[in-house]
Amino acid sequence: MPEAIGSNSEFEIKFQVEAAEAEAVQADVGRGDSRQERLRALYYDTPDGALAAARIVLRVRKEGAHWVQTAKAPGKGALHRLEHNVPLPPGRTAPRPELMRHAGTPIGTLIERALKSSAATVEAIELVSLYSTDIRRISRQIQIGDATVELAFDRGEIRASGKRRAVCELELELKEGDPRSLLELAERWRARHRLWINSISKSARGERLARGVTFGPAIKAQARRLEVPKSKRDGSSVFCAMLESCLAQILPNASDIAAGSTDPDQIHQLRVGIRRLRTGLREMKPLAPGQDPGWEPALVEVFRSLGRLRDRDNLVQKIQPRVSHAGGPELTGLEQHERPSASASEIVCGSAFQQVLIQVIEAALPDPAASSLPEKAVAAWLVKRLSKLHRQVVRDGRRFEELEPDAQHRVRKRLKRLRYLGEFVAPIFDRNAKRYLKALGPAQDALGAHNDEVAALATYREVALRDGRAWFAVGWLTARQADSAHACRVALAGLAKAKPFWKAARK
């Protein structure tokens, strides 16, 4: 049984509620022994944004007649957050926030670290209000299994610098018991009201509103990779850490895309996150024999659907300008060629994908009862897999120009698996694995560019059947294939000289 959430942390999942479902969700939450309250909050930071840079949130919120000062920061998992609340005296105006109120707590320690670069002490640090929220909340508690879960439907707005942004979301917070029970309940509500996960907090949306932007930057794979203590590196723990690493990239990108972002970088990074997850499931499944989730079909569908959007954008924004620069004619309507039937938002909000996200979150929760390989067997298995992938990529790299396009594409996929698996497990073997992983970069870039041109060539051939002007691009790209494949072979030769970090660690 997983540990219950302590008083200094919270476990919650938030869903975006679309306008068409808002009244139904409100009525559903409002049944039975529910309560209504108005929550008005002011959010603070230092003038240089030191707290936000450390992903720490500080607010003072009026709850009924009383004020509460709260500090929050990321916890150990995708839905865990550190939280510390300090009740303040009642009054008409918001009390002045004081960081010392959180001293002696885990989040107080994080605040001290965040302010180390500041000249002021924690006691004397200057704080400024950047944005505020005004929320009408309807909530009630539900007992499911051994868990107590609070349902909260929030409707209101975020305000910053005279600008406003609407809030309409459903939050499920674990008050006591097993987090898996909360996720079981979350899936019921998601399916019933066609909800989608929105991991972007009100504070993050407020910070964006204050800066005048709607969406955040694309989130790349984090350097944290594998957060598993040396004393807990059995197969199940390593597998769960891999899932958490993937969720840290997938959830924020998916949330912004679901909310309407069409940023090509976010779409690309979501696809990278999904590919990393699929790689982890394929290469690390033997570490946790009990894991057989059956997520592949939904992940593949979203990956390929977003890939069609990405290929179209790449053709219009990168390939065609190069063709035109080489003297080719301007082509119109490329963005309409094989136009996907669904937008990026519709793809990500799809029921099957949203269900898989909840299942991945659940699978990432530690479970001491799960079957697992012992630490030595984990290391042995990973050495075997990394060595095999390395050999295959180096072997095929030497004859890359001779391979058929499908075989060249397989080399690229193996190279990605080698990179992602290496990133996941590098801390298990060698802290100096960066040199080897860095050597993969040029080869992956070269093979990615080559693959983009191969895909573009196939598209131009189809376009040429209705627009003869596309034959220039067909000829130009065909002529480039030999040089592009040669560049791939040269880049892959660099990998052959790299020293595998896992072999060094095994000696």
Side-chain angles (χ1 to χ4, degrees), residues 89-149:
R92 294 178 61 86
T93 59
R96 180 180 178 275
E98 296 179 11
L99 292 174
M100 284 301 296
R101 290 175 178 143
H102 305 291
T105 68
I107 202 165
T109 302
L110 294 178
I111 290 173
E112 291 179 6
R113 291 176 186 168
L115 300 180
K116 273 188 177 180
S117 60
S118 174
T121 63
V122 173
E123 296 89 341
I125 195 76
E126 179 187 359
L127 295 170
V128 294
S129 176
L130 301 177
Y131 50 92
S132 63
T133 58
D134 189 354
I135 303 295
R136 300 280 183 177
R137 169 171 286 183
I138 300 175
S139 62
R140 66 182 168 99
Q141 290 193 351
I142 290 180
Q143 196 72 26
I144 175 170
D146 68 342
T148 302
V149 177

Side-chain angles (χ1 to χ4, degrees), residues 16-86:
Q16 181 68 24
V17 180
E18 298 294 350
E21 289 289 331
E23 297 303 324
V25 172
Q26 178 173 312
D28 219 350
V29 175
R31 291 189 295 107
D33 188 18
S34 61
R35 57 185 295 224
Q36 300 186 29
E37 55 187 332
R38 185 180 182 186
L39 304 173
R40 288 169 288 173
L42 295 170
Y43 289 77
Y44 295 86
D45 202 344
T46 61
D48 61 354
L51 297 182
R55 299 174 67 193
I56 296 171
V57 175
L58 180 70
R59 79 176 180 217
V60 174
R61 186 168 75 178
K62 191 171 187 181
E63 302 177 1
H66 294 81
W67 294 90
V68 178
Q69 178 175 312
T70 300
K72 296 187 178 187
K76 293 182 179 179
L79 303 187
H80 287 89
R81 287 198 294 179
L82 296 177
E83 178 178 353
H84 185 241
N85 298 295
V86 182

Side-chain angles (χ1 to χ4, degrees), residues 22-23 33 39 106 116 128 138 155 201-202 222 231 235 267-268 305 349 359 385 398 406 425 471:
E23 297 303 324
D33 188 18
L39 304 173
K116 273 188 177 180
V128 294
I138 300 175
R155 209 169 188 179
S201 66
K202 295 184 187 71
Q222 300 300 303
S231 59
I267 293 174
H268 172 65
S305 296
C349 289
Q359 292 171 345
R385 290 303 302 152
R398 293 192 180 104
D406 286 347
V425 304
W471 284 115

Side-chain angles (χ1 to χ4, degrees), residues 202-218:
K202 295 184 187 71
S203 58
R205 282 174 272 170
E207 190 268 336
R208 293 175 182 180
L209 187 62
R211 291 191 292 111
V213 299
T214 302
F215 304 109

Side-chain angles (χ1 to χ4, degrees), residues 396-445:
D396 292 339
R398 293 192 180 104
R399 55 193 183 96
F400 188 84
E401 293 157 284
E402 305 167 15
L403 300 177
E404 294 295 324
D406 286 347
Q408 291 178 343
H409 188 55
R410 281 196 296 274
V411 177
R412 178 170 174 258
K413 290 196 293 185
R414 281 176 179 153
L415 179 66
K416 286 186 175 184
R417 297 209 303 270
L418 176 61
R419 176 185 175 184
Y420 299 150
L421 182 59
E423 287 177 342
F424 285 139
V425 304
I428 291 179
F429 295 99
D430 187 352
R431 293 184 180 275
N432 298 316
K434 289 184 178 179
R435 183 177 301 175
Y436 177 85
L437 295 172
K438 186 177 180 180
L440 301 180
Q444 188 164 341
D445 290 342

Side-chain angles (χ1 to χ4, degrees), residues 343-365:
S343 66
S345 174
E346 291 168 333
I347 292 168
V348 172
C349 289
S351 180
F353 182 61
Q354 290 293 317
Q355 182 181 28
V356 163
L357 291 182
I358 293 176
Q359 292 171 345
V360 175
I361 292 168
E362 179 178 354
L365 295 172

